[in-house]
Amino acid sequence: MASTELRKRKREEYEMQLFGFHSRAVYATMQTLISERICGTAAKLCNTIKEKYKLDSGNVTMLKSNQRQLEKAYCKAALSHLRIIQNIVNKYIAVPSNVLLEEDKYQRTQYTDTEFQNIKQRLEDLQQRAKRATILNASLKEELQILEEFPVTEDRVNILHKSIENGLKCTDINKQMYKLVEDYKQFSTNLFGAITISEKLKYNTVNNLKCKEIDLNSL
C-alpha cells in the first residue's frame, strides 16, 4: 500500500512538472463539481416544492431531511461513474514512462558502479585542482600587491641580469678544475720525478701502524 502511494506521488510530481497540475487535483475538482451539482439540484427541487405547496414549518423540516437523504443517495449512485471518470483522468492526464523532461534527460544514460566511482574520483580531482588554483591565485595576488608596494627598478633588473650571465659563464668549472689537477700532476712529475708508492704505504694510511707481511700464496 505504501509503495503504491509512493509511485502515485512520484507520478503526480512528474505530471506537475510537465502540465502544472496533476491527475489527482483534476479528479478532486470534478468530484467537487459533481457533488455541488447534486446538492444544488436537490436544493432547487426542495425549494420549488416548498413554494408551490406552501408547506408549513413541520413539512419544511421533513422536506429538509428528505433533501439530505436524496443528496446522499445520488452521491452514492454517482460513485461508479466517478470511478470511470477517475480512470479517464488518469489515462489522459499522465506522463508515459518513456518520456523525460528536460531537467531529467541526464537520467537517460545509466552508469555502472565502477563508472560511477570513476566519475566521482574525477570530480574529486577537479575539486582539488580548483582548490589549488584558488590558492595559487591568492598567492599571485599577494605577490602582485607586494610588487606594487615595492616596485623593482630597471637598475636592479640589469644587475640581476649581469649576475645571471656571469654565473652562466662558469658552467664548465668542473672540467677546468679537473684539467688543473692533471696539469699539476704532470708538472710535479717533471719537476720531482715519479714517486713510487708501495702497496703497504698505499693501503695502510695510519701512521706508525705495525703490520706483518704475509705471502698469500703460501697459505
Side-chain angles (χ1 to χ4, degrees):
M1 185 68 179
S3 60
T4 303
E5 183 66 20
L6 181 60
R7 287 196 299 269
K8 185 183 294 185
R9 288 188 179 278
K10 287 184 177 180
R11 185 193 66 193
E12 291 172 356
E13 181 180 355
Y14 217 62
E15 293 169 354
M16 192 69 184
Q17 293 177 6
L18 185 61
F19 302 122
F21 54 87
H22 52 77
S23 56
R24 186 182 303 196
V26 174
Y27 172 70
T29 301
M30 297 190 69
Q31 188 178 21
T32 301
L33 291 174
I34 292 172
S35 178
E36 290 177 352
R37 185 67 178 270
I38 291 174
C39 294
T41 302
K44 288 181 180 180
L45 177 61
C46 291
N47 288 331
T48 301
I49 294 174
K50 176 183 175 182
E51 293 175 358
K52 184 173 181 62
Y53 295 101
K54 308 296 182 181
L55 300 179
D56 55 16
S57 59
N59 290 328
V60 170
T61 302
M62 185 182 297
L63 184 62
K64 291 291 184 183
S65 177
N66 292 334
Q67 177 184 344
R68 288 191 294 271
Q69 292 179 6
L70 182 64
E71 291 172 356
K72 290 180 181 179
Y74 271 96
C75 288
K76 184 177 181 180
L79 289 177
S80 59
H81 300 284
L82 287 173
R83 294 190 187 96
I84 296 174
I85 292 173
Q86 185 178 16
N87 292 332
I88 293 173
V89 170
N90 292 336
K91 179 180 179 180
Y92 287 98
I93 304 178
V95 180
S97 58
N98 61 334
V99 175
L100 288 176
L101 299 180
E102 288 295 330
E103 57 268 26
D104 294 334
K105 283 187 176 180
Y106 68 92
Q107 298 181 5
R108 182 181 301 172
T109 304
Q110 301 295 324
Y111 297 97
T112 62
D113 293 339
T114 303
E115 291 174 338
F116 178 76
Q117 291 298 328
N118 292 335
I119 294 174
K120 184 178 179 181
Q121 184 62 42
R122 288 172 56 190
L123 178 60
E124 292 177 355
D125 294 341
L126 290 175
Q127 290 175 344
Q128 291 296 327
R129 290 176 59 185
K131 184 178 180 180
R132 290 194 295 268
T134 302
I135 295 174
L136 178 61
N137 188 28
S139 300
L140 291 176
K141 286 184 178 180
E142 184 177 356
E143 291 184 4
L144 183 60
Q145 291 177 356
I146 294 174
L147 290 176
E148 290 177 352
E149 294 177 0
F150 304 98
V152 180
T153 61
E154 184 178 356
D155 294 336
R156 292 191 61 186
V157 173
N158 292 332
I159 293 172
L160 292 174
H161 179 68
K162 290 180 180 179
S163 299
I164 294 172
E165 285 186 344
N166 293 332
L168 292 176
K169 292 179 180 179
C170 300
T171 55
D172 202 24
I173 189 170
N174 291 332
K175 293 182 179 180
Q176 294 180 5
M177 289 294 295
Y178 179 77
K179 187 176 183 303
L180 178 61
V181 172
E182 292 296 327
D183 292 342
Y184 173 76
K185 287 181 179 180
Q186 185 65 33
F187 175 75
S188 178
T189 301
N190 295 334
L191 184 61
F192 302 105
I195 300 175
T196 304
I197 301 175
S198 64
E199 294 294 325
K200 181 178 179 180
L201 182 61
K202 181 178 180 181
Y203 293 103
N204 297 326
T205 58
V206 180
N207 295 331
N208 300 323
L209 179 64
K210 296 180 179 181
C211 299
K212 183 179 180 181
E213 295 185 0
I214 298 175
D215 187 4
L216 297 177
N217 295 325
S218 64
L219 295 178

